[in-house]
Amino acid sequence: MSHIYDMLGINIEKIKDKKKEKDKKSKKELNFLKENDNLFSLPTSSKTINVNLKKMKTNPYIHINVNNKNSSIWRLVKFKNKCRNDDLILKKWKKIGYKNDKIQFNENAIEDDYTFEKFNKKLNIVKYDDEFYNKQIKNMNLKWTKEETDYLFNLCEKYECHFIIIYDVYDTKYSRTIEEIKDRFYSVSKKVVEDAYDQKIKLEESKKIKNNTDLIKLKEGKAKHPLVKFTYNMEADIERKNTIHKTYTISKKDVMLEEITMESIKKFESKIKHELKKVSDMKKLKKKFELTNDEIIPVTQNICVYTFNNNKSVCVISPYFYILIIF
């Protein structure tokens, strides 16, 4: 590229020197802002702020002239995220006011309120005690022990019912499939939820209040609860996975045969529709000319001869039109 610059009469060295100067200035400004990150606000307007770095070093609290009176002031604020358990202190930019406001800012203050904390939703895993397990859950499936059931529910709480992860970390001494894990969790959870609702319903029924709205709400809540309304079908899940596996392992020859079969089915369906259309057209003609089946003598597929008032007539029937010839 140098020969092109020479032809145009451009000095490359000057261009390189200018780039180096710009890089040095930007690095100085960046390093200065890193050292004094709590002293300045982020520029929110499109207007540039000219800062003399030499004066800033001697007097870091120098006033910065900004033409916009309503320019907002931002500061780096320390905060804790309640979703974490390690008491990690992070920093974020926060608008603390505007230029003309009298603001008292404490750099060492730590905020506990985190904006995005509300999006950290957690599943409420059902709980059961030893007495309930021995009475209600123990005889549901004798292949499962209380120790393993507790272990499963702890994993579900830890990994928020991501069963693929649970299956991956599941202890090998139990040797369970992912379908068995799902079935055990959902069946036990359903039993616990049903029992909790039944106890509340019995308590409301014992009050013997007419038109008890609380009782109606409890019954509706029980019927609409997802764990009660829906039941996990282990056999259907296994069949679904096997079907998906077959679709991925099918050969090209089988795919071609399936396509040919589907095409033949479509052709057959179109023929049936065509014949039904003919029948409907015939019914319309019979109704229009007030004919019976005995009066119509079919000659060909689309032509029929019939007598009407001692006159021979030929009717050419088509799915789209008809022609009536009277002799």
Side-chain angles (χ1 to χ4, degrees), residues 24 57 120 125 237 256 277 313 323:
K24 284 181 182 179
K57 287 179 181 178
N120 186 40
I125 306 297
D237 197 11
M256 289 176 67
K277 186 74 168 56
S313 302
I323 301 170

Side-chain angles (χ1 to χ4, degrees), residues 15-25:
I15 295 168
K16 288 181 179 179
D17 292 337
K18 284 181 180 179
K19 284 184 178 179
K20 286 179 182 178
E21 286 177 4
K22 284 183 180 179
D23 292 337
K24 284 181 182 179
K25 282 183 180 180

Side-chain angles (χ1 to χ4, degrees), residues 220-273:
E220 288 178 356
K222 181 185 176 182
K224 291 179 180 179
H225 197 283
L227 290 171
V228 178
K229 188 177 180 181
F230 302 103
T231 304
Y232 175 72
N233 192 342
M234 186 170 67
E235 294 176 358
D237 197 11
I238 293 167
E239 188 179 352
R240 177 184 63 83
K241 287 183 179 179
N242 291 333
T243 307
I244 292 168
H245 180 70
K246 284 179 183 178
T247 55
Y248 279 105
T249 56
I250 195 168
S251 62
K252 290 182 179 179
K253 187 178 179 181
D254 294 332
V255 172
M256 289 176 67
L257 287 170
E258 189 177 353
E259 288 176 355
I260 292 164
T261 307
M262 290 301 295
E263 286 178 3
S264 62
I265 289 167
K266 286 179 181 178
K267 287 179 182 178
F268 185 70
E269 286 177 349
S270 64
K271 283 182 180 179
I272 291 169
K273 286 180 181 178

Side-chain angles (χ1 to χ4, degrees), residues 44 66-73 95 97-101:
T44 55
V66 183
N67 294 327
N68 189 2
K69 293 180 181 179
N70 294 324
S71 60
S72 56
I73 299 171
K95 187 169 77 171
Y98 293 93
K99 180 188 170 184
N100 296 327
D101 298 340

Side-chain angles (χ1 to χ4, degrees), residues 25-26 45 127 133 136 176 249 259 274 298:
K25 282 183 180 180
S26 60
S45 63
K127 304 289 183 182
Y133 182 88
Q136 303 289 339
R176 297 288 182 185
T249 56
E259 288 176 355
H274 187 67

Side-chain angles (χ1 to χ4, degrees), residues 88-250:
L88 178 68
I89 297 171
L90 302 168
K91 289 183 179 181
K92 64 177 180 179
W93 286 102
K94 183 180 178 181
K95 187 169 77 171
I96 60 171
Y98 293 93
K99 180 188 170 184
N100 296 327
D101 298 340
K102 293 180 180 179
I103 302 162
Q104 291 181 353
F105 177 69
N106 186 6
E107 294 180 7
N108 298 320
I110 299 171
E111 292 185 354
D112 290 331
D113 185 20
Y114 183 53
T115 309
F116 299 99
E117 186 183 337
K118 60 185 177 182
F119 298 109
N120 186 40
K121 302 294 182 183
K122 289 188 177 181
L123 288 175
N124 294 322
I125 306 297
V126 296
K127 304 289 183 182
Y128 55 86
D129 53 10
D130 296 339
E131 185 181 355
F132 182 80
Y133 182 88
N134 293 325
K135 284 183 179 179
Q136 303 289 339
I137 302 170
K138 188 177 181 180
N139 296 323
M140 287 174 63
N141 192 343
L142 298 174
K143 293 179 181 179
W144 284 78
T145 60
K146 186 180 183 301
E147 181 187 355
E148 188 181 356
T149 307
D150 293 341
Y151 172 69
L152 170 61
F153 272 74
N154 289 331
L155 287 177
C156 289
E157 188 174 5
K158 184 179 180 180
Y159 297 107
E160 296 185 339
C161 289
H162 292 96
F163 288 104
I164 294 172
I165 300 170
I166 292 165
Y167 174 70
D168 189 52
V169 300
Y170 208 77
D171 199 338
T172 53
K173 69 179 181 181
Y174 296 118
S175 65
R176 297 288 182 185
T177 62
I178 191 169
E179 290 81 18
E180 288 176 336
I181 290 168
K182 285 182 182 180
D183 182 61
R184 182 62 173 176
F185 172 76
Y186 286 122
S187 59
V188 172
S189 299
K190 184 176 182 178
K191 195 73 176 174
V192 173
V193 171
E194 283 179 340
D195 184 73
Y197 271 104
D198 289 339
Q199 287 181 3
K200 290 177 183 178
I201 288 166
K202 283 180 182 178
L203 184 65
E204 290 295 329
E205 286 176 346
S206 63
K207 294 178 182 178
K208 296 180 180 180
I209 301 170
K210 290 183 178 180
N211 299 324
N212 193 344
T213 55
D214 293 333
L215 181 62
I216 295 165
K217 285 179 181 179
L218 283 170
K219 287 181 179 179
E220 288 178 356
K222 181 185 176 182
K224 291 179 180 179
H225 197 283
L227 290 171
V228 178
K229 188 177 180 181
F230 302 103
T231 304
Y232 175 72
N233 192 342
M234 186 170 67
E235 294 176 358
D237 197 11
I238 293 167
E239 188 179 352
R240 177 184 63 83
K241 287 183 179 179
N242 291 333
T243 307
I244 292 168
H245 180 70
K246 284 179 183 178
T247 55
Y248 279 105
T249 56
I250 195 168

